[in-house]
Amino acid sequence: MNGVTISFDKSRTYINLMLNPTEFEADVDMSEIRKQLESGETSGLYISEKALKSACDTANHYFKTDDGTIVQERIGERKNAEVEFRIPEDSMTANLVLTTPYGGRLPSFAAVMSLAMKNKIVKGISTKRIKALLKRAQKATSGEILEETIAKGLPPRNGKNSKFVPLVPNALDRILRPQSQGGERVDMRNLGEVICVKVDTPVLKRTAPTQGRSGFDVKGNKLPSVAGEWLEFKMGTGTVVSDSDSNLLISAISGMPKYRDQIMNIDDTFICSGVNVGSGHVNYEGAVLVNGDVTEKMQIKASGDVTINGFVESAYIESGGDIIITEGAMGKVNDTEGEYQCKLMAAGSIHVQHGQGVEMQCKGDVTIGRQLAYSRVRCGGAVVVGQIDNPMGNLFACDIVSQGRVEAGTLGAVSGSTLKIDFSPGFNQLLERKDGIDELLKQIRENNLKHKEKIDLLKSKKVPKELKRKMTDALELFNNETALLEWIEAKAYEIKVAKESYQSDVKLIANKRLYAGVTAKLNNRNWRSEREYNRSRVRYDAHQWHYDPIV
């Protein structure tokens, strides 16, 4: 282009542009100059668009006004790479920000390390990441900004509080894990001896709290950890702290151990060889262990666990803990009144090896060893038929209300007998609690907002000395109300999460086959199997039931 001269200074670092309007044939084109700069030795160097535009505009003005003044401008330069370190306020990480050079040089690894030290980055440095970033920069275009975390601190790990380790298993835990016969085979009949501990038997151990581990930030500052705390034993009935070891809880009486919610209880245990007309009904304040059968029309009521190493026929059993029946339970059903002759009522969970014609009510889970049929179940947990780790039992012709999954090998029967499963009651309880909390939260929020406006108004005014005490009392009441509001908000969030979890937890799982006649219900949303399916899962999501094959 006539009248355009591009040159380097003596150090060959800066690019100079000279425009002579007297040699122009037309207005100088900025894009043409840029193309010329992108070729040859000036390619890849830094060009200031502002300086280039200013020079072109000035020269074009001179050209139009016949002014022969020559325009000279420094429009670019050869730039080395720019290095910057970004460290957040907590100093737990350090990022290297590298702007690639415009025809200049990249820093060496040693130079980057030296700059890091000057920026007080001394701990947790990854040399591998720095070298990788420098390698990337060699292939990057001029002026590209690359960023990488090149140092990380180590957050402190606080110590853990002391733990409580039960030294004897609960009866239900023992039943659900049959004893091995050596090798990998498991004998489903060998359920192990039911443990009744003697006096002075160690039942619960307290482990020492850990000290934790200190950490550091990238600047080398030590971050101390908080040591765990000693937790006191929550003393249950029938236990005392050992005289020889303050970290050991021993049984004060002979009985059946029960560990729940970090509390070990030893229930005074009534042991008999069977419950029948000869023994009479059993009503006991403690645990009951029956090494035999419970015959027709007999009753057992206990405040603790009821464990029956035998068969139950048309009997009534009520427990303040778990009910465990190592054989089966069976009863007749009065068709006209729908009354079950065999009833199991537990405050905890229920385990039966196999059941037919049984009514079960419990707050925990219902686990069945082999098969459950023609029964009614109301439970606050899951219903599992088969081994707990691989349920392959049969479940059919039952009426079930559950608050957890229903899982078995086979759901329903070839005959198409109805298996009804209703998840609604537990969900409706959650909805009622949620509505109540939400209404209360709304009222307290409105009141808190009004009170805040009044408190702010009072703070903005000068309060007489005689009213300062009342002002202090008002502030305390307001702070208490705010704390209550925060607590209710946390509870509202917990219930919201519980509602979402409930909907994801309720499901039907058939590990072998799902037959026609199986229905699932959650309020007004129903699902029914109209044909036979192989291994499958029925789950609830987005207000609908969904069927999925298990592959």
Side-chain angles (χ1 to χ4, degrees):
M1 286 184 294
N2 293 334
V4 178
T5 305
I6 298 171
S7 62
F8 279 101
D9 68 339
K10 291 181 180 179
S11 65
R12 303 197 67 77
T13 300
Y14 297 101
I15 304 172
N16 296 322
L17 175 66
M18 186 175 72
L19 300 175
N20 188 350
T22 59
E23 298 179 9
F24 289 177
E25 295 176 357
D27 285 357
V28 68
D29 190 347
M30 183 174 160
S31 60
E32 290 296 324
I33 296 175
R34 196 182 293 110
K35 284 181 184 177
Q36 190 173 340
L37 289 167
E38 289 172 358
S39 61
E41 196 177 348
T42 56
S43 173
L45 302 190
Y46 174 73
I47 303 298
S48 170
E49 292 289 327
K50 184 178 179 182
L52 177 60
K53 185 176 186 302
S54 174
C56 291
D57 290 346
T58 303
N60 286 332
H61 174 71
Y62 290 163
F63 171 68
K64 290 174 182 176
T65 57
D66 293 328
D67 188 335
T69 305
I70 296 173
V71 177
Q72 296 190 63
E73 189 78 42
R74 180 172 287 175
I75 61 166
E77 63 180 302
R78 193 186 304 276
K79 275 187 175 184
N80 292 331
E82 293 180 3
V83 175
E84 180 189 353
F85 292 96
R86 291 179 182 169
I87 304 172
E89 192 175 341
D90 61 3
S91 299
M92 290 305 292
T93 58
N95 282 20
L96 169 61
V97 182
L98 181 69
T99 305
T100 55
Y102 291 90
R105 292 179 298 168
L106 275 170
S108 65
F109 171 76
V112 172
M113 290 296 291
S114 176
L115 288 170
M117 296 295 177
K118 286 180 181 178
N119 281 271
K120 298 181 181 179
I121 303 169
V122 295
K123 290 277 281 183
I125 300 173
S126 170
T127 57
K128 184 178 178 182
R129 285 173 176 252
I130 295 174
K131 289 176 181 177
L133 185 66
L134 292 174
K135 193 172 182 180
R136 278 171 54 201
Q138 291 173 358
K139 300 177 182 178
T141 56
S142 299
E144 188 175 343
I145 299 173
L146 305 176
E147 185 170 359
E148 183 67 67
T149 301
I150 54 97
K152 291 182 180 179
L154 181 69
R157 184 164 57 205
N158 292 335
K160 294 181 180 178
N161 295 337
S162 53
K163 292 182 180 178
F164 298 106
V165 182
L167 303 177
V168 287
N170 290 341
L172 183 60
D173 297 335
R174 195 170 180 84
I175 292 297
L176 292 177
R177 285 163 180 78
Q179 307 300 301
S180 176
Q181 284 187 320
E184 296 182 355
R185 292 190 61 191
V186 171
D187 183 3
M188 291 302 295
R189 296 189 180 186
N190 178 16
L191 298 170
E193 297 177 4
V194 176
I195 291 187
C196 282
V197 297
K198 297 179 181 178
V199 177
D200 293 337
T201 302
V203 291
L204 188 65
K205 181 175 73 173
R206 177 175 62 179
T207 62
T210 59
Q211 292 300 310
R213 182 206 63 207
S214 61
F216 57 82
D217 61 21
V218 296
K219 293 182 178 180
N221 299 314
K222 187 177 180 181
L223 306 175
S225 63
V226 179
E229 298 179 356
W230 282 100
L231 299 180
E232 296 298 324
F233 281 113
K234 295 179 182 177
M235 299 302 294
T237 57
T239 59
V240 292
V241 178
S242 172
D243 293 333
S244 60
D245 187 351
S246 61
N247 294 320
L248 199 62
L249 207 63
I250 61 174
S251 57
I253 60 172
S254 296
M256 189 176 292
K258 183 63 177 286
Y259 184 67
R260 180 183 292 168
D261 299 330
Q262 293 190 329
I263 301 174
M264 178 66 79
N265 291 295
I266 306 296
D267 291 332
D268 190 15
T269 307
F270 174 80
I271 303 175
C272 62
S273 58
V275 178
N276 47 48
V277 176
S279 68
H281 300 314
V282 175
N283 192 337
Y284 195 72
E285 192 67 30
V288 172
L289 172 58
V290 181
N291 290 315
D293 299 335
V294 180
T295 59
E296 190 174 359
K297 296 185 179 178
M298 299 310 297
Q299 293 183 5
I300 298 177
K301 295 181 180 179
S303 61
D305 292 354
V306 175
T307 304
I308 300 166
N309 287 319
F311 191 84
V312 175
E313 182 181 357
S314 297
Y316 177 85
I317 299 175
E318 184 180 317
S319 166
D322 301 330
I323 294 176
I324 302 159
I325 302 172
T326 61
E327 295 297 332
M330 184 177 289
K332 299 173 185 176
V333 183
N334 187 327
D335 292 332
T336 56
E337 299 177 9
E339 188 73 19
Y340 287 79
Q341 301 300 315
C342 187
K343 294 184 179 181
L344 309 178
M345 310 289 171
S349 299
I350 295 176
H351 172 81
V352 179
Q353 194 63 10
H354 58 84
Q356 183 169 320
V358 184
E359 180 177 353
M360 304 182 198
Q361 291 187 26
C362 68
K363 292 182 180 178
D365 298 332
V366 170
T367 53
I368 309 296
R370 293 192 186 93
Q371 178 173 291
L372 181 65
Y374 304 103
S375 298
R376 183 163 61 202
V377 176
R378 304 287 183 269
C379 70
V383 177
V384 181
V385 186
Q387 293 184 46
I388 199 73
D389 55 346
N390 185 27
M392 299 299 280
N394 303 318
L395 177 63
F396 61 93
C398 291
D399 183 358
I400 297 173
V401 174
S402 173
Q403 294 184 30
R405 78 184 193 282
V406 175
E407 183 173 6
T410 302
L411 294 176
V414 181
S415 62
S417 57
T418 304
L419 173 61
K420 295 180 180 178
I421 301 162
D422 190 357
F423 300 104
S424 307
F427 188 64
N428 290 333
Q429 286 179 7
L430 275 176
L431 289 180
E432 287 176 13
R433 287 178 59 198
K434 185 177 183 302
D435 291 343
I437 287 284
D438 288 347
E439 183 63 30
L440 181 62
L441 184 61
K442 181 182 176 184
Q443 291 177 2
I444 292 181
R445 269 182 182 156
E446 290 174 356
N447 292 339
N448 187 256
L449 190 62
K450 291 176 184 176
H451 295 157
K452 186 178 185 303
E453 291 173 356
K454 291 178 180 178
I455 289 290
D456 290 343
L457 182 63
L458 287 171
K459 282 181 178 179
S460 66
K461 295 184 177 181
K462 188 175 181 181
V463 181
K465 285 184 179 180
E466 60 271 16
L467 295 178
K468 279 191 175 180
R469 182 162 184 176
K470 288 187 177 181
M471 179 68 177
T472 304
D473 292 342
L475 279 170
E476 187 177 350
L477 288 171
F478 175 71
N479 291 335
N480 290 340
E481 184 186 54
T482 303
L484 176 63
L485 176 62
E486 291 173 356
W487 183 82
I488 293 175
E489 283 176 340
K491 286 295 175 186
Y493 178 75
E494 285 178 17
I495 293 177
K496 180 186 174 185
V497 171
K499 177 190 168 189
E500 293 169 355
S501 298
Y502 189 99
Q503 294 178 85
S504 62
D505 290 344
V506 296
K507 56 175 74 78
L508 309 183
I509 302 174
N511 293 316
K512 284 198 293 189
R513 200 165 295 278
L514 176 66
Y515 288 102
V518 178
T519 62
K521 179 183 179 184
L522 183 59
N523 287 344
N524 60 344
R525 301 295 181 182
N526 296 278
W527 183 88
R528 179 182 174 86
S529 60
E530 301 294 346
R531 63 180 180 86
E532 186 178 321
Y533 298 92
N534 287 324
R535 300 178 64 203
S536 51
R537 180 187 292 107
V538 180
R539 58 184 175 83
Y540 190 83
D541 183 43
H543 307 290
Q544 294 292 337
W545 287 103
H546 302 271
Y547 161 81
D548 300 316
I550 298 177
V551 180

